[in-house]
Amino acid sequence: MYLKKSIWKIVSIVLLLTQTPVYAQVKHTFSFGDTAFLLDGKPFQIISGEMHYPRVPREAWRSRMKMAKAMGLNTIGTYVFWNLHEPEKGKFDFTGNNDVAEFVNIAKQEGLWVVLRPSPYVCAEWEFGGYPYWLQNEKGLIVRSKETQYLAEYKKYILEVGKQLAPLQINHGGNVLMVQIENEYGSYASDKEYLKINEAMFKQAGFDGLLYTCDPASDVSKGHLPGMLPAVNGLDNPAKVKKIVDDNHDGKGPYFIAEWYPAWFDWWGTSHHTVPAAKYSGRLDSVLAAGLSINMYMFHGGTTRAFMNGANFKDATPYEPQVSSYDYDAPLDEAGNATAKFMSFRNVIEKHLAPGVKLPAVPAQKPAIKTADIQLNEVAGLLNNLPTPQLNSRPLTFEDLNQNYGFVLYRTTLTGGKSGFLKLKELRDFAIVMINGKTIGTVDRRLKQDSIKIDLPEGMVTLDILVENMGRVNFGKYLLQNRKGITQKVLFDQTEVLNWKMYSLPFANTTAFKYSKTVQTNTSPVIRRGSFQVNNPGDTYLDMRKWGKGMIWVNGHNLGKYWSIGPQQTVYLPVEWLKKGKNEITVLELLKPQSANVSGIEKPILDQIQ
């Protein structure tokens, strides 16, 4: 009996080992050769796709990685987002959808390597380029600099990241091939001492494997740290890539295109960006044929949910807040389905596989569903659900209020019986102006607006200004000017308005509002709530074309923003967050408070401008 038990124990161990991916059992080596990366001493070509863990439901990470394998990728690239992992100073979060270590581990289980980009600045069309809002409350702190407070906070953060991810490097038995220092720093500055400080912090955090930098072609010399591999962004001419790397790396490779853009992102009020696969398939073919490694940005964009979208702003262009859909016209669409671009790129990659190697079959398209018309008959008027205010003579910013995202309602009283222009100096970013509880107009930073003409009725008048943070700038010099709300002062008829109440409305959840089913004539923003039944859950797209502007929650998940100006007209609801049976939906509507019904459709609408 003892012998039989021993034999079965040995058999069980053997079966367990044979079911584990082989490369997960072996400690590999990864190094730089003169022309190529070397995996266990043999040339290795990174064929990578960018995919960000917070833009994909955790429940779907594995299925998206299976799609990556099916397209022919051997590596996943991802940023690490400081504002997710330290949302408030000293409070770290690596749980749930923020569990980046689990994201990396799932990649390993699926036979994928990882290129890690903790920066800590990420750009990525992400709120404040990944920086937490509270850094702006540290007086004198300057991001992306040698300023001592910034370096102190950065160090605390990167040490926490190291605890999560440094053990997952390839030289420790994991699947992280290499780690990126900073991010397109040459487009911002050229301080090599600052880059050396970054390198030292990363090593102190335990990132003791291969490190590299990445910059657009024209900025590599400024953003590259001598001795470190310089990767190139946005260029796919093999000869030009090789020359740039050679010029900055002692005349040798390996050669890595760290960001290759087969499409682009969208922002509110402009056309949806698409690029035909045919325009890029030949370029991908030439890069792979030349032996260069590549990371396509994006392979799968997903969705920038809640308040995490960023914005672009330059002196020559207006403020451009990005939409919630991060579909990006990527090979894998927002819901994780293969596109024509996916199939085209798969065909190219397949040409360059070793003899006898076959790609996995492409998983079938995920089923999508329509829903019946959903009635949202429970209503909570925003002005009837205000928290305790803070008082101040002049308006306080979001940061003054220790508020990260969402909205702030500014309230004061004015003596009526007059007309004039209401001026909001340095509004950040979108304001709904109400008089005695009724919306009378909006002010939009995108349109370079800062004023609106108002007519005050007789008597004492309540003036409410609801200000939305539409996303902190994520690229360029205006990273340093990212405070939100009414950031200076308010003038009416050229006289400063004083004595304000500030109501913080971060919309971290929607559970505290008092709803009513009474029919109301709403003339200001509302929160609407309803429920709907689903028999067979599947992906769906909530059609918001009859609504104005706002946000949607389903079963407690903040799905992101909608705005009738487009181009995004639907909001993606992933199957992973639907339930069989009853589902709860909540909508914050800012501009059309009478809207009360919505339905799910089977296809997204990402290309309609109104």
Side-chain angles (χ1 to χ4, degrees):
M1 179 65 71
Y2 177 79
L3 181 60
K4 287 182 179 179
K5 286 184 178 179
S6 299
I7 291 171
W8 275 113
K9 186 174 182 181
I10 293 169
V11 169
S12 298
I13 293 170
V14 170
L15 285 171
L16 180 63
L17 290 174
T18 57
Q19 290 170 3
T20 305
V22 173
Y23 89 106
Q25 305 165 29
V26 178
K27 188 173 182 180
H28 295 271
T29 62
F30 190 69
S31 59
F32 298 151
D34 288 347
T35 59
F37 294 105
L38 301 176
L39 179 62
D40 298 331
K42 298 177 181 179
F44 179 76
Q45 187 173 32
I46 296 172
I47 306 176
S48 176
E50 190 87 4
M51 181 170 75
H52 300 148
Y53 54 98
R55 285 177 159 138
V56 179
R58 177 182 175 132
E59 302 90 332
W61 287 347
R62 189 178 300 278
S63 65
R64 301 300 194 270
M65 291 179 185
K66 289 183 184 295
M67 295 298 291
K69 289 285 286 185
M71 199 178 84
L73 302 183
N74 56 31
T75 305
I76 292 292
T78 187
Y79 284 121
V80 182
F81 300 83
W82 188 350
N83 55 8
L84 290 183
H85 297 300
E86 194 180 4
E88 299 292 342
K89 184 175 180 178
K91 297 179 180 179
F92 294 96
D93 181 9
F94 292 93
T95 63
N97 235 92
N98 295 341
D99 190 352
V100 60
E102 180 62 11
F103 180 81
V104 173
N105 282 325
I106 291 174
K108 183 176 183 179
Q109 293 161 15
E110 294 301 322
L112 290 161
W113 304 101
V114 170
V115 171
L116 196 65
R117 314 212 284 159
S119 187
Y121 164 74
V122 300
C123 188
E125 293 72 61
W126 195 265
E127 227 275 345
F128 201 2
Y131 285 121
Y133 86 98
W134 54 263
L135 289 177
Q136 297 184 105
N137 281 350
E138 306 294 312
K139 189 173 181 180
L141 187 149
I142 303 172
V143 299
R144 303 188 88 179
S145 79
K146 294 181 290 190
E147 191 276 322
T148 55
Q149 293 176 97
Y150 170 66
L151 293 179
E153 298 301 338
Y154 172 7
K155 183 176 181 179
K156 284 184 255 182
Y157 165 70
I158 205 66
L159 289 175
E160 292 296 325
V161 171
K163 292 175 186 176
Q164 298 288 322
L165 296 171
L168 305 183
Q169 295 170 103
I170 189 170
N171 54 320
H172 294 278
N175 59 322
V176 175
L177 295 177
M178 55 184 185
V179 179
Q180 180 182 300
I181 295 289
E182 246 286 347
N183 185 52
E184 298 186 320
Y185 179 68
S187 299
Y188 188 79
S190 57
D191 188 338
K192 304 297 183 181
E193 185 180 354
Y194 167 72
L195 289 174
K196 286 294 290 182
I197 293 171
N198 278 255
E199 179 186 30
M201 283 191 187
F202 270 57
K203 289 182 176 179
Q204 188 175 354
F207 294 113
D208 53 2
L210 297 186
L211 304 176
Y212 74 101
T213 59
C214 82
D215 293 279
S218 59
D219 297 323
V220 168
S221 62
K222 292 187 291 183
H224 168 240
L225 189 61
M228 200 173 288
L229 178 70
V232 182
N233 289 358
L235 185 66
D236 54 18
N237 180 305
K240 291 181 179 179
V241 171
K242 287 181 177 181
K243 184 177 188 313
I244 290 170
V245 175
D246 287 345
D247 288 348
N248 291 275
H249 198 232
D250 299 324
K252 58 186 179 181
Y255 307 103
F256 182 40
I257 301 170
E259 290 189 11
W260 180 64
Y261 310 112
W264 206 239
F265 59 89
D266 293 338
W267 53 94
W268 293 113
T270 60
S271 298
H272 177 50
H273 293 81
T274 60
V275 180
K279 184 174 180 180
Y280 279 90
S281 295
R283 300 181 187 185
L284 178 60
D285 192 21
S286 66
V287 166
L288 297 182
L292 276 65
S293 289
I294 192 168
N295 177 53
M296 57 186 69
Y297 191 104
M298 300 290 295
F299 158 68
H300 173 52
T303 311
T304 311
R305 296 182 177 86
F307 299 99
M308 288 295 109
N309 68 278
N312 281 338
F313 181 48
K314 302 176 184 177
D315 292 327
T317 58
Y319 172 73
E320 297 170 339
Q322 292 116 19
V323 304
S324 289
S325 172
Y326 205 58
D327 177 86
Y328 217 91
D329 192 35
L332 206 63
D333 70 13
E334 184 174 9
N337 292 308
T339 65
K341 189 174 289 182
F342 179 104
M343 299 307 297
S344 179
F345 288 178
R346 170 186 161 95
N347 291 339
V348 171
I349 294 168
E350 203 162 28
K351 288 170 50 181
H352 298 276
L353 297 177
V357 176
K358 297 289 185 182
L359 294 180
V362 178
Q365 293 273 312
K366 299 165 63 187
I369 63 171
K370 294 180 180 178
T371 71
D373 197 51
I374 303 166
Q375 298 295 320
L376 287 82
N377 292 327
E378 295 181 84
V379 186
L382 186 65
L383 298 183
N384 298 326
N385 284 272
L386 297 175
T388 302
Q390 291 195 41
L391 280 59
N392 200 61
S393 177
R394 290 184 168 85
L396 298 174
T397 66
F398 279 54
E399 291 75 16
D400 293 332
L401 298 167
N402 292 313
Q403 181 177 333
N404 48 12
Y405 315 116
F407 304 79
V408 170
L409 183 81
Y410 296 84
R411 172 173 286 178
T412 192
T413 55
L414 298 172
T415 302
K418 63 181 78 170
S419 299
F421 278 94
L422 183 72
K423 185 179 181 69
L424 314 178
K425 295 202 70 174
E426 295 300 323
L427 169 69
R428 310 284 179 80
D429 300 300
F430 184 87
I432 298 171
V433 179
M434 294 165 274
I435 293 177
N436 290 338
K438 181 179 180 180
T439 297
I440 56 96
T442 62
V443 183
D444 187 348
R445 180 187 179 190
R446 292 178 318 112
L447 305 178
K448 299 184 178 181
Q449 297 173 345
D450 67 356
S451 302
I452 182 173
K453 190 174 187 299
I454 61 175
D455 301 310
L456 301 182
E458 296 290 339
M460 296 305 295
V461 174
T462 298
L463 172 67
D464 287 318
I465 306 171
L466 180 66
V467 176
E468 178 185 359
N469 164 12
M470 290 188 61
R472 292 181 177 87
V473 174
N474 60 261
F475 181 82
K477 66 181 182 180
Y478 290 106
L479 276 174
L480 303 179
Q481 299 177 33
N482 250 332
R483 299 177 78 81
K484 291 297 181 180
I486 299 173
T487 63
Q488 290 192 12
K489 58 187 177 181
V490 178
L491 303 174
F492 175 58
D493 199 21
Q494 299 184 335
T495 300
E496 185 174 5
V497 180
L498 301 173
N499 300 320
W500 291 91
K501 296 178 181 178
M502 272 68 56
Y503 299 85
S504 290
L505 298 163
F507 277 89
N509 60 65
T510 59
T511 59
F513 297 107
K514 296 178 181 178
Y515 295 90
S516 170
K517 291 187 177 180
T518 306
V519 175
Q520 302 175 14
T521 303
N522 295 291
T523 58
S524 60
V526 297
I527 305 98
R528 288 188 173 272
R529 187 172 69 179
S531 64
F532 60 102
Q533 294 287 325
V534 173
N535 295 325
N536 297 298
D539 286 332
T540 194
Y541 302 86
L542 298 173
D543 184 356
M544 306 307 294
R545 285 176 290 179
K546 294 180 181 178
W547 295 68
K549 187 180 195 299
M551 303 195 78
I552 306 177
W553 292 257
V554 171
N555 296 329
H557 295 281
N558 188 328
L559 303 183
K561 303 175 183 178
Y562 65 90
W563 194 358
S564 61
I565 66 171
Q568 177 184 347
Q569 300 291 345
T570 54
V571 175
Y572 172 52
L573 171 52
V575 60
E576 292 84 4
W577 292 347
L578 272 176
K579 303 174 184 176
K580 185 173 183 177
K582 184 179 179 181
N583 293 266
E584 302 284 345
I585 181 170
T586 303
V587 177
L588 167 66
E589 171 55 48
L590 301 172
L591 302 178
K592 293 183 178 180
Q594 300 308 315
S595 299
N597 61 292
V598 65
S599 61
I601 58 178
E602 294 177 312
K603 298 286 185 182
I605 302 172
L606 301 177
D607 58 357
Q608 287 189 10
I609 299 290
Q610 291 188 9

